[in-house]
């Protein structure tokens, strides 16, 4: 389970959903693994405004991952700004070329890719702070089914 | 400019929805001028050759697209139309290399007859060399015959622009896929669904009935990130060697796979916030695979059960009780979920089975926040399945506020009483009269 997915998950119980404490779910006994993947900067830019940034900060803190800036970045912060230091010296040709080719990821873009897409929880539990129910993650796949007394 | 699209003569009712979705995705103005389900030829208006190329490049149901130079119900009318439309442009083509080909639908002319047809275009002042391989311009004579006749009923003449995407899905043939189940959808239909759902790079699509991942794989082929879930944990996990992830690996699509997890849509763990660009799904019809939600059939199980002092649901390998669920209620759950999670303009593409009964209008589930874009049907012998496509309206455009009463599902309800399609299916879709007729001795 990727850290990005965790940002879209809450407790499966209907009773918990309206409660603020049901999100985010809190990882416990987690075994983390880095699964390298191609950088997809267009996707990160599109998904960025849909993230709950404070929840992402709290999850990274709980998992002991590198800290994040307090304020959510803007989509353009994920790519190297055009007309920056790189374009110096070569002038016009570079700007023309950059329009054609893919945008280059900034350090922040690369860091977010590492955190959201490449960092996965392979084994562990996700706990709802509202009802205390724990959902198991096995081999990277979480199980959100509920026993009948919690439905 | 006018173009003639040569479509595949299969899945007819999906062809225009696919073209419309691809036009919308690529920001192309598309006007359909003539279309008939019985014909592979469709005349459209587009702004440029570039738009034509973009439109068809990933269209599964398009064979090729031509710039329309003329059409007619016989050759005399065709040649007159070509004169009328294009005479002023002929000098542009004077010295270029070119070739002609004759393509018939429901009848193929002999080589000699084709040469005769091509010779009838000798008034075109093309003086360049004829090159059968890589000519600068490629012209097509497209004939439409009524089956078992020898005289075309309509003929189009055009300049070839581009091939469509008929071959895209071929490497995804289910026969060569490592992990499939009895209800995996064939790859051609999954790719058409992905096109109609407007899957594209940068987007996030979700399949709440993921099964073995057929629909997400097609969406990811087009660059979308995908996520899936299923109430059946065994299907989601698969085996160590064969599972949804290995399917993505088989096609080199792993970077587009976000996550899969086990969950029930009716009790979804997903946050109800607008974060999805699209939802694609083929829900269980209750025939080959059961239609279930969490809970116990008899309404019991409201208290924690302890085994050896440990709560049963916390023990390893606990099996969560599931009960039969109503198909209609589940479709409504999908719609409600889509309204809460799709971004503005995001699409829901959902498959639904129906019985082929005369005079019975298909009861299509509706929601005021979802605009029904298309209904496309794949017919089988006694039943059909439809692909319903909705788009999420911005809240400012929603007129009516919906209050819905849903029949309560009583404890002990069984699969047949909950799911009329299942009941009709196992009755062989007989009408009451025909049942009486055949059974009376």
């Amino acid at each position: 389970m990727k850290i990005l997915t965790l940002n879209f998950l809450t407790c499966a119980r209907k009773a918990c959903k309206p409660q603020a404490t049901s999100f985010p779910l809190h990882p416990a006994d987690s075994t983390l693994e880095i699964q390298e993947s191609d950088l997809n900067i267009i996707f990160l830019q599109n998904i960025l405004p849909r993230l709950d940034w404070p929840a992402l900060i709290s999850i990274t803190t709980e998992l002991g991952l590198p800290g994040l800036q307090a304020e959510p970045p803007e989509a353009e912060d994920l790519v190297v700004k055009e007309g920056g230091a790189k374009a110096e010296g070569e002038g016009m040709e570079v700007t023309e070329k950059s329009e054609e080719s893919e945008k280059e990821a900034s350090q922040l873009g690369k860091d977010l890719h590492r955190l959201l897409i490449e960092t996965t929880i392979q084994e562990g539990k996700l706990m709802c702070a509202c009802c205390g129910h724990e959902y198991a993650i096995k081999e990277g796949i979480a199980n959100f089914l509920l026993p009948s007394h919690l439905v | 400019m006018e173009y003639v699209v040569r479509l595949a003569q299969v899945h007819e009712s999906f062809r225009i929805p696919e073209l419309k979705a691809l036009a919308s995705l690529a920001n192309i103005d598309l006007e359909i001028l003539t279309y008939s389900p019985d014909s592979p030829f469709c005349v459209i208006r587009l702004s440029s050759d570039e738009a034509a190329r973009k439109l068809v490049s990933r269209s599964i149901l398009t064979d090729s697209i031509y710039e329309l130079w003329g059409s007619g119900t016989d050759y005399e009318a065709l040649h007159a139309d070509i004169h009328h439309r294009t005479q002023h442009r002929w000098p542009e083509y004077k010295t270029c290399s070119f070739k002609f080909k004759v393509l018939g639908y429901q009848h193929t002319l002999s080589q000699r007859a084709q040469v005769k047809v091509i010779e009838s275009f000798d008034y075109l002042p093309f003086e360049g060399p004829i090159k059968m391989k890589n000519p600068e311009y490629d012209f097509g004579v497209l004939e439409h015959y009524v089956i078992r006749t020898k005289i075309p009923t309509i003929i189009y003449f055009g300049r070839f622009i581009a091939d469509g995407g008929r071959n895209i899905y071929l490497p995804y043939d289910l026969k060569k896929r490592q992990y499939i189940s009895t209800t995996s959808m064939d790859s051609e239909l999954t790719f058409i669904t992905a096109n109609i759902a407007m899957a594209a790079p940068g987007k996030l699509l979700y399949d709440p009935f993921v099964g073995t991942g057929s629909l997400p794989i097609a969406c990811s082929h087009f660059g979308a990130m995908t996520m899936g879930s299923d109430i059946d944990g065994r299907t989601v996990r698969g085996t160590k060697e064969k599972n949804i992830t290995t399917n993505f690996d088989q096609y080199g699509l792993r970077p587009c796979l976000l996550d899969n997890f086990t969950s029930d849509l009716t009790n979804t763990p997903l946050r109800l916030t607008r974060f999805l660009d699209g939802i694609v799904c083929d829900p269980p019809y209750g025939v080959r695979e059961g239609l279930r939600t969490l809970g116990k059939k008899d309404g019991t199980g409201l208290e924690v059960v302890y085994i050896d002092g440990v709560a049963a649901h916390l023990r390893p390998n606990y099996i969560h009780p599931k009960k039969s669920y109503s198909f209609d209620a589940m479709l409504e759950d999908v719609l409600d979920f889509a309204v809460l999670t799709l971004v503005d303009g995001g699409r829901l593409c959902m498959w639904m089975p129906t019985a082929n009964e005369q005079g019975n209008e298909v009861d299509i589930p509706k929601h005021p926040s979802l605009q029904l874009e298309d209904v496309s049907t794949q017919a089988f012998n006694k039943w059909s399945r439809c692909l319903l496509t909705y788009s999420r309206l911005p809240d400012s455009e929603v007129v009516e506020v919906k209050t819905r009463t849903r029949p309560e599902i009583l404890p002990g309800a069984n699969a047949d009483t909950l799911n009329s399609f299942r009941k009709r299916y196992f009755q062989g879709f007989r009408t009451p009269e025909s049942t009486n007729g055949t059974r009376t001795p």
Side-chain angles (χ1 to χ4, degrees):
Chain A
M1 165 142 304
K2 296 184 196 299
I3 303 300
L4 175 60
T5 313
L6 211 48
N7 204 268
F8 300 126
L9 288 165
T10 168
C11 187
R13 289 187 69 185
K14 284 181 178 143
C16 287
K17 276 244 160 72
Q19 311 297 324
T21 48
S22 69
F23 175 77
L25 297 171
H26 302 282
D29 310 331
S30 310
T31 310
L32 297 184
E33 192 180 293
I34 297 289
Q35 292 182 344
E36 303 225 333
S37 181
D38 300 347
L39 182 58
N40 185 343
I41 209 75
I42 310 170
F43 175 71
L44 285 179
Q45 287 185 317
N46 282 353
I47 212 73
L48 189 64
R50 304 177 200 170
L51 292 178
D52 186 307
W53 195 257
L56 190 61
I57 291 179
S58 97
I59 293 293
T60 51
T61 313
E62 286 175 40
L63 289 171
L65 294 166
L68 289 168
Q69 60 192 71
E71 290 300 316
E74 298 288 329
E76 64 254 32
D77 299 336
L78 304 189
V79 289
V80 176
K81 285 192 178 60
E82 274 179 45
K86 274 203 142 187
E88 231 174 284
E90 300 204 23
M92 296 295 284
E93 282 169 44
V94 175
T95 30
E96 268 174 42
K97 203 177 159 193
S98 66
E99 277 174 359
E100 296 266 313
S101 61
E102 292 255 312
K103 288 174 191 166
E104 197 189 331
S106 65
Q107 191 55 45
L108 180 64
K110 289 175 189 165
D111 289 347
L112 273 180
H113 173 70
R114 169 57 55 123
L115 171 68
L116 295 171
I117 307 290
E118 295 189 324
T119 309
T120 67
I121 303 179
Q122 282 301 305
E123 303 288 331
K125 290 170 190 161
L126 297 171
M127 195 198 68
C128 168
C130 180
C131 68
H133 189 67
E134 288 177 345
Y135 301 96
I137 303 176
K138 283 181 194 166
E139 291 166 359
I141 295 173
N143 184 340
F144 292 99
L145 298 185
L146 295 165
S148 44
H149 67 275
L150 293 179
V151 175
Chain B
M1 280 158 63
E2 289 181 20
Y3 293 85
V4 56
V5 188
R6 186 168 177 247
L7 298 162
Q9 199 58 28
V10 288
H11 302 311
E12 290 82 358
S13 65
F14 294 76
R15 302 184 300 185
I16 294 296
E18 191 196 37
L19 283 179
K20 272 167 44 192
L22 293 176
S24 169
L25 185 61
N27 258 324
I28 293 169
D29 283 325
L30 164 71
E31 194 186 335
I32 313 264
L33 301 173
T34 64
Y35 173 78
S36 155
D38 308 320
S39 168
F41 305 114
C42 166
V43 180
I44 60 175
R45 186 173 285 134
L46 295 169
S47 61
S48 65
D49 291 0
E50 185 51 32
R53 268 183 217 105
K54 266 194 197 160
L55 177 69
V56 304
S57 65
R58 55 178 269 192
S59 166
I60 301 299
L61 294 172
T62 298
D63 173 82
S64 46
I65 187 164
Y66 292 78
E67 184 208 347
L68 184 68
W69 278 39
S71 64
T73 48
D74 56 36
Y75 273 96
E76 201 182 321
L78 173 70
H79 293 310
D81 196 34
I82 295 171
H83 271 94
H84 172 69
R85 284 175 184 253
T86 62
Q87 195 161 16
H88 61 288
R89 293 175 52 198
W90 295 349
E92 290 170 45
Y93 297 87
K94 195 172 176 185
T95 56
C96 307
S97 64
F98 67 96
K99 83 168 183 192
F100 272 61
K101 64 186 168 203
V102 183
L103 296 164
Y105 170 64
Q106 295 188 149
H107 179 64
T108 305
L109 290 181
S110 67
Q111 201 71 36
R112 197 190 292 168
Q114 288 193 17
V115 171
K116 225 177 142 191
V117 164
I118 293 169
E119 280 172 353
S120 75
F121 289 86
D122 62 2
Y123 56 87
L124 291 171
F126 296 172
E127 289 163 18
I130 297 168
K131 276 173 75 179
M132 294 318 281
K133 266 192 185 168
N134 303 320
E136 282 168 78
Y137 294 103
D138 190 345
F139 292 90
V141 183
L142 312 171
E143 300 178 306
H144 185 179
Y145 294 85
V146 173
I147 201 155
R148 282 186 282 277
T149 60
K150 298 282 168 65
I151 297 170
T153 51
I154 185 155
I155 311 140
Y156 301 92
F157 178 69
R159 179 173 60 90
F160 175 81
I161 305 291
D163 283 319
R166 284 297 288 152
N167 297 332
I168 292 175
Y169 69 92
L170 297 181
Y172 292 87
D173 189 352
L174 285 185
K175 287 177 196 155
K176 293 173 200 147
R177 190 171 299 172
Q178 287 167 4
Y179 179 56
I180 57 168
S181 73
T182 52
T183 51
S184 297
M185 185 177 283
D186 80 74
S187 56
E188 184 175 14
L189 283 173
T190 59
F191 274 70
I192 295 166
T193 310
N195 270 338
I196 297 177
M198 309 203 308
K203 291 190 176 184
L204 175 59
L205 277 84
Y206 170 57
D207 181 351
F209 305 96
V210 70
T212 55
S214 308
L215 284 168
I217 284 168
C219 295
S220 286
H221 170 87
F222 294 121
M225 286 291 265
T226 53
M227 180 164 86
S229 70
D230 204 294
I231 194 169
D232 184 354
R234 291 165 306 176
T235 317
V236 178
R237 286 190 307 273
T239 63
K240 212 173 167 65
E241 294 79 28
K242 292 181 181 180
N243 53 55
I244 302 175
T245 309
T246 60
N247 273 352
F248 273 78
D249 282 337
Q250 185 181 345
Y251 304 118
L253 297 176
R254 182 73 168 273
C256 289
L257 171 61
L258 191 57
D259 263 310
N260 288 300
F261 49 86
T262 308
S263 77
D264 173 19
L265 183 75
T266 310
N267 298 280
T268 183
L270 285 168
R271 208 147 60 86
L272 301 176
T273 172
R274 311 273 299 273
F275 74 103
L276 294 171
D277 294 288
I279 298 171
V280 285
C281 63
D282 183 21
Y285 310 152
V287 176
R288 287 204 195 176
E289 70 292 75
L291 210 157
R292 307 216 176 283
T293 189
L294 291 170
K296 285 186 125 175
K297 186 175 166 182
D298 56 9
T300 62
L302 301 176
E303 275 156 31
V304 185
V305 177
Y306 289 91
I307 299 172
D308 299 335
V310 182
H313 67 275
L314 298 178
R315 288 160 60 97
N317 305 325
Y318 171 74
I319 296 173
H320 298 80
K322 298 175 192 87
K323 62 182 177 189
S324 292
Y325 195 43
S326 145
F327 190 73
D328 298 335
M330 189 179 64
L331 294 185
E332 297 215 328
D333 287 346
V334 176
L335 261 57
D336 290 347
F337 175 81
V339 169
L340 294 170
T341 54
L342 283 177
V343 298
D344 285 350
R347 286 195 163 194
L348 163 65
C349 283
M350 175 169 75
W351 286 87
M352 185 183 85
T354 54
N356 294 344
E357 281 161 333
Q358 285 191 336
N360 243 359
E361 271 295 294
V362 180
D363 201 5
I364 293 166
K366 291 191 173 73
H367 193 291
S369 298
L370 294 172
Q371 178 171 304
L372 184 67
E373 296 281 345
D374 295 295
V375 179
S376 308
T377 309
Q378 182 193 22
F380 300 109
N381 184 16
K382 287 187 173 169
W383 64 287
S384 319
R385 56 180 175 184
C386 315
L387 177 64
L388 307 178
T389 304
Y390 305 84
S391 61
R392 173 66 160 97
L393 290 169
D395 286 335
S396 58
E397 289 176 26
V398 178
V399 273
E400 133 204 24
V401 179
K402 181 149 179 169
T403 47
R404 187 164 52 203
T405 50
R406 199 184 273 198
E408 204 187 330
I409 298 170
L410 300 167
N414 67 28
D416 268 0
T417 54
L418 289 169
N419 184 349
S420 60
F421 176 76
R422 176 195 153 90
K423 195 175 170 186
R424 305 279 299 116
Y425 184 93
F426 285 112
Q427 284 174 346
F429 299 108
R430 278 185 301 245
T431 57
E433 297 101 78
S434 72
T435 315
N436 292 341
T438 51
R439 293 274 166 91
T440 315

